[in-house]
Amino acid sequence: MSTIEQKALAYHRSGSAGKIAIEVTKSVSTQEDLALAYSPGVAAPCLEIQREPAKAYEYTAKGNLVGVITNGTAVLGLGNIGALAGKPVMEGKVVLFKKFAGIDSFDIEIDETDPDKLVEIIAALHPTFGGINLEDIKAPECFYIERKLRERLSIPVFHDDQHGTAIVVGAGMLNAIEMSGRDIATVKIVCSGAGAAAIACLELLVDLGARRENIFVCDSQGVLTTARGLSGEKLDWARDTIATKLSQVIEGADVFLGVSGPGVLSQMDVQKMAKTPIVFTLANPEPELRPELVREVAPDAIIATGRSDYPNQINNALCFPYLFRAALDCGASTINQEMKRACVVALAGMARSDARFGKDYVVPGLLDPRLLSGVTPKIATAAFRSGVARKELNELEYSADLDDLAQQLI
């Protein structure tokens, strides 16, 4: 067992087991306090909410509470390890919500793999929450589950493995493309992976200006082609080509996007790419090709990974706390494309405004103190302008409030 594994087990076991607890936010030190917190006083807010359901945001924690929900079918790089084994990851997500955005969360691990049953369970739980973060649910079921919940619920539902990855990839890619003097409309992109994260990344890149005809997608069986008889999301990315292998379509590619597994990309593949290749090898913990091996054959490459021990970490925590913070604060009924795009642009701009901006700094660092107040207001503004927010927030005042919150979270 490695040192990091030993340290992680000790970390999770020490003190109170796990990483989270619940705290009481009102005084309960007197008999009168107890009478207000519970019986008989609690009946008053109950009746107010019965008359006007929106009052739940005023009298309960709903407006600052997110459900982090999984069935454990696609946990990190561990695969289908089950709901219970996925609980440490979900607790970790709760920690990140609180640490980076002051959002309270409950982790909920549901032992159910039937998509329709899972939709029913989550929909039945939704009155508790102001938003739902779906996590580590395998493709293709995750597409269906998110879509059905978004259709049914009037609170934000966000599958982070899809959209969180896509947003941070989008920000890094915009900067890498600009830095290398390219035009997003003309870049040739080769993607290894056709799961939830890969498909979401590609859809967002198209939304940002990339062209489908310039994108080649590969799964474990090779290039997605019209000859393979594909269905669902994969069919949308099938190309009419005789090429069957990644090594064939990578010739002259400007961008490699890896959302698959270790060892998929070779140094020979990198050598076939265009000058100053953009290489995002995001498989975690072991990337498609290690950055140092990319550098050996392409010293001018712009490289990103999913790991914290290399520059340009593509980490979902750069976006999901701020998306939900904005959505909760402006009363958004959903997290839409306009909000995601605003987050991409804000993250990209933040990296560009940093003195460290360069090939080893195309996205902000996770601990950048500007994130909460710099990114969140842009998302809230996009929510209101696109018609999904109940209230408009003054961007300057909201940013100042978030600066105050950030100081409390340090």
Side-chain angles (χ1 to χ4, degrees):
M1 185 178 292
S2 70
T3 301
I4 186 65
E5 289 171 331
Q6 292 171 334
K7 288 181 177 179
L9 292 175
Y11 174 88
H12 284 80
R13 188 173 53 238
S14 64
S16 298
K19 300 186 286 284
I20 56 176
I22 294 174
E23 66 177 8
V24 178
T25 62
K26 301 292 191 296
S27 172
V28 286
S29 58
T30 69
Q31 191 66 35
E32 182 182 10
D33 289 340
L34 292 172
L36 296 173
Y38 200 54
S39 182
V42 76
C46 289
L47 293 173
E48 286 293 304
I49 294 168
Q50 182 186 32
R51 282 190 286 269
E52 188 178 344
K55 290 285 187 181
Y57 289 90
E58 184 176 341
Y59 293 125
T60 77
K62 179 181 174 76
N64 194 48
L65 189 61
V66 169
V68 177
I69 300 178
T70 192
N71 66 354
T73 52
V75 180
L76 295 177
L78 305 174
N80 186 359
I81 61 174
L84 180 59
K87 185 172 175 62
V89 179
M90 301 309 114
E91 286 190 0
K93 199 64 176 284
V94 171
V95 169
L96 296 179
F97 267 118
K98 188 69 173 181
K99 169 66 178 175
F100 293 128
I103 295 172
D104 295 320
S105 312
F106 291 157
D107 66 293
I108 299 180
E109 294 75 33
I110 301 175
D111 190 13
E112 179 57 71
T113 57
D114 181 280
D116 288 306
K117 290 182 179 178
L118 196 58
V119 168
E120 291 300 324
I121 293 168
I122 296 171
L125 290 169
H126 93 274
T128 304
F129 303 110
I132 291 173
N133 185 99
L134 301 174
E135 188 81 11
D136 292 350
I137 300 172
K138 72 181 179 73
E141 289 91 335
C142 60
F143 300 110
Y144 175 82
I145 291 165
E146 185 193 44
R147 183 173 69 251
K148 287 296 181 182
L149 288 170
R150 285 168 64 95
E151 289 170 358
R152 289 179 58 168
L153 305 183
S154 60
I155 60 173
V157 178
F158 184 81
H159 185 217
D160 188 44
D161 302 300
Q162 293 182 57
H163 310 298
T165 302
I167 287 166
V168 185
V169 165
M173 201 67 74
L174 283 182
N175 282 340
I177 288 170
E178 179 182 311
M179 191 183 302
S180 61
R182 293 178 167 98
D183 180 352
I184 192 171
T186 61
V187 293
K188 177 181 177 181
I189 300 171
V190 173
C191 178
S192 174
I199 297 299
C201 287
L202 296 174
E203 293 286 1
L204 187 55
L205 288 174
V206 169
D207 185 69
L208 293 170
R211 292 180 179 167
R212 282 178 177 266
E213 60 265 30
N214 295 334
I215 299 174
F216 294 82
V217 185
C218 305
D219 64 7
S220 59
Q221 304 302 311
V223 180
L224 302 189
T225 68
T226 53
R228 284 180 51 184
L230 300 166
S231 61
E233 288 75 15
K234 287 188 179 183
L235 178 60
D236 294 338
W237 295 96
R239 297 293 306 275
D240 185 13
T241 176
I242 61 172
T244 59
K245 299 177 181 178
L246 185 147
S247 59
Q248 294 172 310
V249 295
I250 197 97
E251 184 77 40
D254 300 287
V255 174
F256 172 81
L257 173 61
V259 201
S260 50
V264 169
L265 187 69
S266 71
Q267 287 183 311
M268 189 174 297
D269 292 329
V270 176
Q271 288 176 308
K272 294 178 181 179
M273 295 179 68
K275 185 181 178 181
T276 315
I278 299 168
V279 182
F280 280 31
T281 53
L282 308 184
N284 215 348
E286 187 60 35
E288 285 80 3
L289 184 64
R290 288 259 182 167
E292 57 268 27
L293 298 178
V294 176
R295 283 265 183 253
E296 283 183 4
V297 294
D300 59 345
I302 301 172
I303 308 168
T305 73
R307 294 171 56 128
S308 59
D309 54 348
Y310 289 105
N312 296 327
Q313 184 188 19
I314 303 299
N315 192 312
N316 295 0
L318 278 170
C319 69
F320 71 79
Y322 316 114
L323 280 162
F324 274 97
R325 180 75 278 160
L328 293 170
D329 290 345
C330 72
S333 58
T334 187
I335 293 174
N336 63 12
Q337 197 69 11
E338 290 81 0
M339 295 165 71
K340 290 185 280 185
R341 193 183 306 119
C343 190
V344 169
V345 172
L347 287 171
M350 185 168 290
R352 284 197 301 273
S353 68
D354 197 293
R356 293 168 290 180
F357 182 60
K359 288 182 179 179
D360 288 335
Y361 197 85
V362 297
V363 291
L366 280 180
L367 299 178
D368 192 316
R370 303 171 298 164
L371 284 164
L372 183 59
S373 61
V375 174
T376 313
K378 305 294 185 186
I379 300 168
T381 296
F384 184 79
R385 288 178 177 171
S386 61
V388 298
R390 290 196 305 269
K391 54 187 175 182
E392 183 177 14
L393 302 174
N394 179 285
E395 201 166 304
L396 289 176
E397 293 177 1
Y398 184 36
S399 181
D401 290 341
L402 292 171
D403 274 330
D404 291 341
L405 175 59
Q407 290 300 312
Q408 298 171 30
L409 296 174
I410 293 175

